[in-house]
Amino acid sequence: MGQGTEVKTREDPKVEIQEKGEVFFFYRPKVDKEKAHGPDDVQRMYVVLRPESVPDRAVEEKQAPDSGKEGKKRKTRHGGDEKGQADGGNEGGHGKEEVNVEEKPLLRLIVMGKKSLPDPAKHGRPFWGYVDLVTTDIEDIKDALKGAEYDTATRGKRRQSAARAMGEGVYRILKHEGRGGRPHTHLVYKLELPSRGGEEGAVGEPQEAMNVEPEASFLVQIKNPEQRGGGRGGGGGGGFGGLQGKRKAAFPEHLQGRFGSNRYAPADPPDLLNYEGCELLLISASDDVEEELGLELQTETEEETERGAGGDGGEGGRAGAGCSDLVKMFGEVADVKPLLSGSWD
């Protein structure tokens, strides 16, 4: 469905767009559950970000392709011993390479600690998450989302169900100068699927349960991997258990330098998110992006509707499976019923 567009609705809003792209939301039922009928049946929530362009530059810096889970998957595909590389697969991303996002896909798989987003209408405690996988190979994301069976020493064979898709839209990472004049960064998004039905602003049951609103704005902060603290009971909040040891990202010197002696830093540049083991906090800012930031996001289907496209039978611009990038990329491994219907399995 593409990255959509944005329109500034106030004069000189102090907002700088650092990254544009598509956002996809998924959840996975708990082990040995074939379906999820409510949030108590959910094991994990995933957010996938796919940058599609960056103003004034098409190149993003990411971890070296032989690091983290990405490196493990590459070695396994080329005949390596997966068992022998298990430890390497649990390490965070390190090194660096440049990726032209106009020539190849770049995808980040983020795990949310509390299995939901913060409620964008409430200014509460931060919600912790971490970048679990960064890759230029869509097959890696498919592998992470699909179902699997595995053996355990005490419970025998267990079944992990495939992930369910529950949201698709456009996102922006913004640098914003607030009232105090101190820059910070926002992650803002607007959903294209599931389509909004009768009541304006209504969302489906899984989306409501996991706070995936039609649009939202969150402050995003990156944790300094070289600073200790922030574990349970340490003020991190929102499921902030923290990653341990080698699982943390190992940023190159010029990115690590963005933290100074601080425990957290803005996602500036967004390249910080291109390292597995990058820990982040999402903090509720607003459920009305235009009111808060003077910026209105438009999805591609909204643009088509304004242009009067597809005016046959009143379906002009309405999003559906046929134009969904999520369905095209991941529909073969992830159940898309919650995405298209806004209902549980």
Side-chain angles (χ1 to χ4, degrees), residues 3-5 298-309:
Q3 65 184 17
T5 59
Q298 287 191 327
T299 65
E300 283 198 357
T301 52
E302 287 177 320
E303 296 173 49
E304 291 170 2
T305 300
E306 289 190 358
R307 293 195 298 265

Side-chain angles (χ1 to χ4, degrees), residues 124-182:
R125 298 178 68 187
F127 274 36
W128 173 79
Y130 65 94
V131 179
D132 188 52
L133 177 62
V134 176
T135 183
T136 56
D137 189 340
I138 292 176
E139 294 299 319
D140 292 345
I141 303 294
K142 289 182 181 180
D143 287 346
L145 297 176
K146 69 183 181 182
E149 287 189 351
Y150 58 95
D151 292 317
T152 66
T154 57
R155 298 192 178 185
K157 191 176 293 292
R158 308 202 72 185
R159 171 71 183 171
Q160 184 178 61
S161 295
R164 274 60 166 166
M166 66 168 168
E168 174 177 3
V170 299
Y171 81 91
R172 302 290 186 266
I173 293 179
L174 312 170
K175 183 190 291 186
H176 179 224
E177 185 176 323
R179 295 176 182 175
R182 186 175 181 179

Side-chain angles (χ1 to χ4, degrees), residues 19-20 35 41 61 120 181 184 241 267 285 331:
E19 183 174 281
K20 307 180 182 184
K35 296 182 179 181
D41 296 331
E61 180 185 299
H184 51 266

Side-chain angles (χ1 to χ4, degrees), residues 12 31 39 77 81 90 92 94 108 112 119 168 185 200 212 245 254 297 301 331:
D12 193 30
V31 174
R77 265 194 203 111
D81 181 1
N90 290 329
H94 55 79
R108 313 170 180 129
M112 293 304 302
D119 185 338
E168 174 177 3
T185 48
E200 178 64 22
V212 181
H254 68 285
L297 287 183
T301 52

